[in-house]
Amino acid sequence: MADDKMTTNSKFVLPVSSDENVSVLAVIYRFFKKVAIVGAVYLVGYMQWSVAWLIGPVILSLMRDQWRRENEYRRNLAKTAAMSSEKDIVLARLDDLPSWVFFPDIERAEWLNRILLQVWPNVNRYARSLLKETIEPAVIEGLANYKLNGFKFERMILGTIAPRVGGVKVYDKNLSRDEIIMDVDLFYAGDCDISFVLRRIRGGIKDLQIHGMLRVVMKPLITKMPLVGGLQIFFLNNPAIDFNLVGAVDILDMPGFSDVLRRCIVEQIAKLMVLPNKLPIKLSDEIPTVDLRMPEPEGVLRIHLVQAQNLMKKDVSMLGKGKSDPYAVITVGAQQWKTKHIDNDINPRWEFWCEAIISSRKSQVLQCELWDWDPGMGIENDDYLGRCSLDISQVVRAGRMDTWQTLQQAKTGKVHLRLSWHRLSTDLLDLSHAITETQLVKNAELSSAVVSVYIDSCKHLPSARVQSRPDPYLIVTVGKRSEHTAVQMRTDSPVYEIGYSFLVQNPEIDVLEIRVLDQKTGSQLGQLSYAISWLLKEKDLTMLNQPMNLQKSGPETKIILAAQLKILKEAIKEKDYEEESVTAPSEPEPELTGPSAPTAPAYPPPVQPSHTEELKDFVDNAPPNQSDNLSEKSIPVEQIINKEVDVPQESQIPSERDSPKLVHRTSSLTTSAGEAGLGRILLSLRYSMQNQVLYVVVHKIMNIPLKDPSNVPDPYVKLYLLPGRSKDSKRKTVVVKDSCMPEFDEQFEWAIPLTELHSRQLEVTVATHKGFLTGSPVIGQVIVHLNQYDLREAKTVWLDLLPEASPRD
């Protein structure tokens, strides 16, 4: 037995010896590493260089390592989620898939996931073609702006992990009889292997992740197989994209280079299949291509970015942190605008106007990002100042909206937006009023109409070179905006089958211009100038497919196109077009009274022909927002509370589909002081999957014990997001003087990835503020475990305050 034990023990001798060898190598490595460090320090001193040459690379290395660890952690969480079961994925995303997700939809999602898994190997060829022919040229062009040349994709392997469907919505209301509309929550976090070359340096992309809401429109329905004439596939908003750089270019894996590469990829996906761009697929030859590819705008969103306040200070000066040089980037689907930057100002005023063509007022989002401009060295290094998002359906219901939005992912800051929704009409009587309305805003070029153009093909183009057919492409221009089609190689009769929509300032003056160019020589093969005013004479302002002679070309050269004009109508309130049974109030919130109710600028009246003067007064002399004295992390009270509605039971709060903010309905009062006799606190919680943000409203505290009538508490609420209790996660309400039943109604928010939500806790502490010398004694505390609540809809709960030393489990 002893021999056996000795034999058994002897089996573990070799690993110990191996470890000793590794230890020797480790000692040698550490020795040379320290020699290198000491030598570097000696060299810096000997050469009398600045210490910045030594400290700078160390700081940059530490920042790079920290940035990479954070990104790797986030990608691993996403990959873990992608490999979970279909039902878990669906249930995890229910809070972003409103009331249409039921168990039949979960089964439908699982069925789609099985289909994706089966067809995934066959998608590899299409993805490789898309990468080489579409995305690679765009990346080359984008990187050229940063003096990075010689980019080329070499290998594209999608791996074995297919995209996952987190939820499926099939619309059954507010659609025509000959179409089926389906929304799919698509999520990909696979094991793809993509390699590329940049300036003869080899690198690769791994851990590619894409997440977005994909819409599939099946139309028209036909009586023959395959029963559907065609498909339109598109993302409602720009999908979220992330990846990890590997290989030799790993040394370039800093935020700047990764952002440039990511931006190029996102832009090309947006041009291909993010609204208003659609990816059409024709399934039946009996269906005219124009039915699938002609743009169908629903309206125009007019955006007025007025100003921002109390932005974070990102610039560094000799005396510490200075101010910022902020600019804004506004995004609606594939459409994007950028304001000018304003030097050294954390309260900038832009007065910036832009207009977005909206192809789906349901589910599309307006996003405004703020950045601190810094002069770069070829790779962008601007600092992030936060963002805000707003559902366009909210503007549709209101007609006009004047709002201050608190910035997310920022310690302080908010932006002032004025928005208006304009429907489209084919009634000529609306044109004069639309033109008059655009003339009221003197510092912007606004539109009065939208023209949609479908270009089918060209015929008999002339040759640009001897004994060679041209490589033609088109440049389509209306006003200051131009669109370029893809190049058709070696043909004098190219087929484009593509559609565009353009904003038109004045249809009576503006012109649609189409130029046909040869890619090889750059020479012009033909030109068409079409006065948009001609459409005003057509029935329904529409010209069907019609061949037209090209100017400055051969006698038989023609272009076949269709066009439709629609006029912008005045912004008025509309009913809720959502098919969900829960509806939001159609009237503005009632005005509060009392000293704590700030005054907000009133919505302007609906624009009627007799109201042009009122609109002009609103545009030129709109009153400033007077809610600036509120907490920087707080939403103005008039936006989150409506005490005119009495609900006898627990508070009822609409989800983000019904209101961009949590709305508190008056709850029943509580006479209990809680199990510890320290009082009770009323909180509302909701998690937005779309924005990846946790919202918490601190409403009120009831029955704080009064131990000394001569010393009434001055309560306030302090919140931390656990674990960690970091300074960045701290939030704090205002102090209410001399009250045992204080009311706050303040909303706070934290940006949290969905994968981390259920492992976090919210620490809520109630303290009394009694001056600088006496400190802030704690009244009570409660720990809210977020995994105990289903936050797909807002939850309002009373919680008992407990002693700080024994928080609730």
Side-chain angles (χ1 to χ4, degrees):
M1 184 71 69
D3 293 340
D4 292 340
K5 184 178 293 188
M6 293 179 59
T7 304
T8 303
N9 291 338
S10 67
K11 295 179 181 179
F12 295 94
V13 172
L14 287 177
V16 171
S17 174
S18 177
D19 288 344
E20 289 175 353
N21 292 336
V22 173
S23 299
V24 171
L25 293 175
V27 169
I28 296 174
Y29 171 76
R30 287 197 296 270
F31 171 77
F32 281 105
K33 184 177 180 180
K34 290 185 179 298
V35 168
I37 294 173
V38 173
V41 173
Y42 174 79
L43 183 62
V44 169
Y46 181 80
M47 299 298 295
Q48 296 183 351
W49 289 339
S50 170
V51 70
W53 288 97
L54 181 63
I55 297 178
V58 175
I59 294 176
L60 288 176
S61 178
L62 291 175
M63 291 174 59
R64 174 178 176 272
D65 290 343
Q66 178 66 21
W67 177 79
R68 291 188 60 189
R69 281 195 297 268
E70 291 175 355
N71 281 273
E72 184 177 359
Y73 174 71
R74 185 176 65 253
R75 282 188 289 265
N76 288 338
L77 287 175
K79 185 178 290 186
T80 301
M83 299 179 69
S84 302
S85 67
E86 288 87 347
K87 187 165 293 188
D88 290 341
I89 294 294
V90 175
L91 294 176
R93 300 187 181 279
L94 277 177
D95 53 357
D96 190 43
L97 305 175
S99 58
W100 43 265
V101 179
F102 298 103
F103 280 104
D105 300 292
I106 296 176
E107 299 298 332
R108 190 181 297 121
E110 293 182 359
W111 177 71
L112 285 176
N113 281 325
R114 295 190 187 100
I115 293 178
L116 286 173
L117 187 62
Q118 287 293 111
V119 304
W120 186 239
N122 299 327
V123 179
N124 194 30
R125 180 179 301 174
Y126 174 76
R128 186 184 300 112
S129 174
L130 177 66
L131 202 70
K132 291 291 293 184
E133 297 178 5
T134 304
I135 295 182
E136 182 181 283
V139 173
I140 293 173
E141 181 179 353
L143 293 179
N145 297 328
Y146 300 91
K147 310 302 181 184
L148 297 173
N149 301 316
F151 182 88
K152 182 176 68 173
F153 284 112
E154 286 192 329
R155 183 176 69 250
M156 171 65 178
I157 300 175
L158 292 181
T160 58
I161 302 177
R164 308 296 292 270
V165 172
V168 178
K169 172 181 180 177
V170 178
Y171 289 87
D172 58 357
K173 297 179 181 178
N174 299 325
L175 72 164
S176 63
R177 295 181 179 179
D178 67 339
E179 67 178 0
I180 299 173
I181 300 178
M182 179 172 63
D183 285 352
V184 176
D185 184 31
L186 192 67
F187 180 65
Y188 173 71
D191 54 346
C192 71
D193 184 8
I194 302 173
S195 65
F196 61 84
V197 175
L198 176 64
R199 282 186 172 177
R200 299 183 180 180
I201 302 176
R202 296 187 180 276
I205 295 175
K206 287 191 175 181
D207 299 328
L208 176 64
Q209 298 173 15
I210 302 176
H211 174 225
M213 188 66 72
L214 189 73
R215 176 165 293 178
V216 181
V217 179
M218 294 170 268
K219 73 171 191 179
L221 303 181
I222 57 179
T223 57
K224 299 180 180 179
M225 294 300 293
L227 303 181
V228 176
L231 303 176
Q232 291 178 333
I233 303 175
F234 50 89
F235 285 103
L236 295 168
N237 301 287
N238 281 320
I241 295 179
D242 195 12
F243 52 80
N244 183 30
L245 292 177
V246 297
V249 295
D250 187 40
I251 58 174
L252 296 176
D253 194 6
M254 298 291 288
F257 176 73
S258 295
D259 288 346
V260 170
L261 191 58
R262 185 180 295 105
R263 187 179 301 111
C264 293
I265 295 175
V266 170
E267 286 177 354
Q268 288 312 300
I269 292 178
K271 290 180 180 179
L272 181 67
M273 52 185 304
V274 176
L275 283 179
N277 304 313
K278 303 177 182 179
L279 178 64
I281 300 176
K282 190 175 179 179
L283 301 179
S284 173
D285 293 335
E286 297 182 0
I287 304 302
T289 307
V290 66
D291 292 350
L292 293 176
R293 297 181 180 261
M294 184 73 168
E296 300 171 320
E298 293 186 9
V300 171
L301 179 67
R302 188 168 290 167
I303 304 164
H304 181 195
L305 174 60
V306 183
Q307 60 183 321
Q309 287 187 354
N310 299 319
L311 300 179
M312 293 188 295
K313 298 177 181 180
K314 288 293 186 177
D315 291 341
V316 179
S317 65
M318 296 296 294
L319 300 178
K321 281 200 172 182
K323 295 188 177 181
S324 293
D325 307 318
Y327 66 91
V329 177
I330 300 173
T331 304
V332 179
Q335 304 167 85
Q336 191 173 89
W337 303 266
K338 180 179 177 181
T339 71
K340 64 180 182 180
H341 73 272
I342 298 179
D343 292 331
N344 201 31
D345 194 348
I346 60 172
N347 298 299
R349 191 176 188 92
W350 290 287
E351 296 290 352
F352 178 80
W353 291 80
C354 59
E355 295 174 308
I357 298 175
I358 305 300
S359 299
S360 175
R361 51 191 161 188
K362 308 187 198 93
S363 306
Q364 272 206 284
V365 174
L366 162 70
Q367 181 167 291
C368 180
E369 291 184 319
L370 268 62
W371 296 84
D372 170 38
W373 180 83
D374 289 317
M377 297 292 292
I379 293 181
E380 290 190 7
N381 58 349
D382 295 348
D383 295 317
Y384 192 56
L385 297 177
R387 66 178 176 87
C388 67
S389 299
L390 187 67
D391 289 338
I392 292 174
S393 60
Q394 301 294 326
V395 188
V396 173
R397 286 194 286 265
R400 292 184 182 272
M401 181 177 290
D402 190 311
T403 178
W404 283 87
Q405 294 286 315
T406 301
L407 293 177
Q408 303 168 10
Q409 300 178 6
K411 294 181 181 179
T412 63
K414 53 186 177 180
V415 295
H416 186 189
L417 292 167
R418 291 179 184 153
L419 310 164
S420 58
W421 168 254
H422 299 263
R423 297 167 295 153
L424 300 179
S425 166
T426 56
D427 189 350
L428 279 176
L429 298 177
D430 296 322
L431 181 58
S432 60
H433 175 56
I435 294 176
T436 302
E437 187 176 356
T438 63
Q439 296 171 349
L440 298 177
V441 181
K442 299 180 176 60
N443 60 339
E445 297 179 353
L446 302 181
S447 59
S448 62
V450 175
V451 63
S452 297
V453 182
Y454 169 75
I455 302 174
D456 182 82
S457 59
C458 295
K459 302 292 185 183
H460 309 299
L461 293 175
S463 298
R465 292 161 291 165
V466 179
Q467 297 181 346
S468 177
R469 291 184 176 181
D471 300 330
Y473 69 96
L474 308 180
I475 299 180
V476 187
T477 304
V478 174
K480 296 181 180 180
R481 182 186 161 207
S482 296
E483 294 287 352
H484 295 238
T485 69
V487 178
Q488 302 296 319
M489 305 300 292
R490 302 291 189 272
T491 177
D492 59 0
S493 298
V495 177
Y496 296 101
E497 295 182 337
I498 193 167
Y500 301 107
S501 289
F502 297 90
L503 292 167
V504 180
Q505 257 191 291
N506 189 337
E508 298 173 347
I509 300 175
D510 287 349
V511 176
L512 166 68
E513 294 186 352
I514 302 177
R515 291 191 299 152
V516 187
L517 302 176
D518 178 63
Q519 184 196 38
K520 292 290 185 181
T521 63
S523 58
Q524 182 169 295
L525 305 178
Q527 178 181 340
L528 174 68
S529 294
Y530 182 85
I532 297 177
S533 60
W534 294 345
L535 290 174
L536 299 175
K537 302 175 184 178
E538 299 282 351
K539 181 180 179 181
D540 296 329
L541 310 185
T542 301
M543 178 188 70
L544 300 178
N545 272 8
Q546 183 175 333
M548 294 186 174
N549 291 326
L550 285 175
Q551 305 153 4
K552 300 179 181 180
S553 187
E556 298 182 355
T557 304
K558 297 182 183 297
I559 185 171
I560 302 174
L561 56 83
Q564 183 181 46
L565 183 69
K566 291 189 176 181
I567 302 167
L568 272 63
K569 294 200 64 160
E570 69 276 6
I572 62 173
K573 289 183 182 179
E574 296 189 2
K575 66 179 182 178
D576 184 4
Y577 282 87
E578 302 280 343
E579 64 271 22
E580 286 81 11
S581 59
V582 180
T583 59
S586 59
E587 297 297 325
E589 299 293 336
E591 184 178 355
L592 295 178
T593 59
S596 63
T599 303
Y603 282 32
V607 183
Q608 302 293 343
S610 60
H611 290 166
T612 54
E613 290 301 322
E614 287 88 338
L615 176 63
K616 185 178 186 302
D617 292 339
F618 171 74
V619 172
D620 296 337
N621 305 307
N625 186 278
Q626 300 176 18
S627 61
D628 305 336
N629 58 342
L630 297 178
S631 167
E632 288 306 322
K633 276 296 176 180
S634 139
I635 301 299
V637 175
E638 74 273 13
Q639 295 185 17
I640 65 172
I641 183 169
N642 176 7
K643 294 190 174 181
E644 299 298 320
V645 180
D646 185 18
V647 181
Q649 302 296 327
E650 182 184 55
S651 295
Q652 297 179 7
I653 299 173
S655 68
E656 63 180 316
R657 304 183 303 275
D658 306 312
S659 173
K661 306 297 176 193
L662 294 180
V663 179
H664 173 214
R665 310 297 186 190
T666 303
S667 65
S668 58
L669 301 180
T670 178
T671 59
S672 171
E675 62 183 75
L678 299 177
R680 307 183 77 196
I681 186 170
L682 182 64
L683 300 176
S684 292
L685 305 98
R686 177 174 61 80
Y687 182 77
S688 168
M689 175 60 198
Q690 184 176 41
N691 299 325
Q692 302 277 287
V693 171
L694 172 68
Y695 297 96
V696 176
V697 177
V698 180
H699 293 300
K700 64 176 69 174
I701 304 173
M702 298 291 289
N703 305 319
I704 295 177
L706 181 59
K707 299 179 181 179
D708 183 0
S710 64
N711 186 20
V712 182
D714 298 338
Y716 67 92
V717 181
K718 181 172 56 177
L719 304 99
Y720 279 99
L721 199 60
L722 305 179
R725 296 183 86 253
S726 66
K727 184 178 179 180
D728 290 342
S729 75
K730 181 181 178 180
R731 306 288 186 269
K732 182 181 175 182
T733 68
V734 297
V735 177
V736 178
K737 294 289 186 180
D738 300 325
S739 177
C740 290
M741 295 187 179
E743 296 189 13
F744 303 97
D745 289 306
E746 292 188 48
Q747 176 170 296
F748 304 95
E749 47 194 70
W750 291 264
I752 310 175
L754 175 65
T755 51
E756 300 180 17
L757 179 64
H758 295 296
S759 64
R760 309 298 289 269
Q761 301 88 39
L762 185 69
E763 179 187 278
V764 183
T765 304
V766 178
T768 175
H769 182 76
K770 300 305 294 185
F772 176 73
L773 296 177
T774 57
S776 300
V778 173
I779 297 174
Q781 187 183 78
V782 61
I783 305 295
V784 181
H785 294 264
L786 299 180
N787 60 359
Q788 294 181 355
Y789 298 95
D790 182 3
L791 300 181
R792 72 187 73 176
E793 297 288 347
K795 301 296 179 183
T796 301
V797 292
W798 282 105
L799 298 172
D800 294 344
L801 295 175
L802 301 174
E804 185 180 16
S806 57
R808 181 185 297 267
D809 293 331

